Amino acid sequence: MSLQITPSMLASDFANLAGEAARIPGADWLHMDVMDNHFVPNLTLGLPVIEALAKVARQPIDAHLMIQDPDRWAPAYVEAGAGSVTFHVEAAAAPIRLAREIRAKGARASMALKPATPIEPYEDMLTELDMVLIMTVEPGFGGQKFLDLCLPKIARARTLIDKHGGDIWLQVDGGVSLETIERCAEAGADVFVAGSAVFNADDPDAMVAELRAHAGHHIH
Ligand code: DX5
Ligand code: ZN
């Protein structure tokens, strides 16, 4: 398993994304939350902003698309420079075709599940994916409280991933902090999004290192 910390830029200063990325050199990826005010009740950023940041940031971009019609839009995020593109399965019309298209364009293909969406129906398509994202809050906003009820699903997802072999990452997103990251790691997550925990810290890069250390105790 590969322990990775992917800070969410949603909690950073949008007027200075390049500067904010430079404050977290220890981050493995920059998690970019794309919201369209339809799939979720919030509006953030899209292709032009990802393209601009991908050109200047040292870390690769992990694009989390909380949008309707990802079948139409997700491949363009690979062209914009994202190294990993996550679509929500609740919004995808043809998730297998979409995952294949993202991979064919050269990025890692990832599928996200909202807290009430079960993992079991997607067992047979895990081989089409490079990462599964289990949301631990309802998507739409940063700074929400971690939902403990998602922990059993993380554990079930880990079991299914191990059963099917392959090197599929298991990411958690929402309310991840020094207080909750160990529970996620223990349940089987290995990639951790953290927005407010990182950017509300006095030293965001030190927080990335601390989160990594906390999770590391539980990852083998
Ligand atoms: C929520 C986003 C998250 C968010 C996490 O819909 O997908 O990535 O930025 O923020 P925190 O870590 O503050 O919960
Ligand atoms: Zn996210």
Side-chain angles (χ1 to χ4, degrees):
M1 284 169 61
S2 63
L3 198 188
Q4 299 182 80
I5 308 292
T6 58
S8 167
M9 302 305 286
L10 186 60
S12 77
D13 178 4
F14 270 24
N16 183 21
L17 283 172
E20 294 287 73
R23 288 173 77 202
I24 46 169
D28 296 285
W29 297 76
L30 303 176
H31 182 85
M32 294 291 279
D33 290 302
V34 179
M35 305 187 190
D36 67 350
N37 193 36
H38 290 278
F39 183 72
V40 290
N42 195 6
L43 185 67
T44 55
L45 53 91
L47 285 166
V49 175
I50 301 255
E51 196 173 1
L53 187 60
K55 278 192 191 128
V56 297
R58 297 184 57 170
Q59 308 93 327
I61 306 277
D62 169 33
H64 176 193
L65 308 185
M66 286 158 278
I67 61 172
Q68 282 182 353
D69 205 359
D71 303 70
R72 174 175 172 194
W73 292 104
Y77 283 85
V78 185
E79 280 156 25
S84 174
V85 176
T86 300
F87 60 86
H88 267 268
V89 70
E90 302 89 353
I96 295 170
R97 184 174 63 209
L98 180 53
R100 288 184 178 181
E101 215 178 323
I102 291 168
R103 278 180 161 177
K105 285 197 178 285
R108 298 178 60 90
S110 161
M111 185 175 80
L113 308 173
K114 298 208 285 182
T117 305
I119 179 76
E120 285 77 9
Y122 307 103
E123 176 175 354
D124 289 342
M125 67 166 287
L126 287 177
T127 49
E128 303 289 336
L129 300 168
D130 299 298
M131 184 167 81
V132 172
L133 164 52
I134 308 266
M135 292 296 306
T136 42
V137 299
E138 291 288 0
F141 301 93
Q144 302 182 76
K145 193 176 169 337
F146 181 84
L147 292 172
D148 276 292
L149 63 84
C150 298
L151 289 168
K153 181 164 63 177
I154 298 169
R156 291 198 300 274
R158 168 51 58 196
T159 303
L160 292 179
I161 286 171
D162 289 349
K163 180 171 148 198
H164 288 270
D167 185 21
I168 305 166
W169 300 347
L170 184 55
Q171 187 179 51
V172 285
D173 181 10
V176 175
S177 66
L178 287 178
E179 200 224 315
T180 56
I181 195 166
E182 295 177 65
R183 275 174 257 169
C184 298
E186 221 169 320
D190 58 356
V191 182
F192 305 88
V193 179
S196 38
V198 168
F199 285 102
N200 290 348
D202 292 334
D203 182 343
D205 203 47
M207 179 54 69
V208 169
E210 261 189 87
L211 287 165
R212 195 187 300 282
H214 270 61
H217 293 137
H218 300 271
I219 288 187
H220 317 286

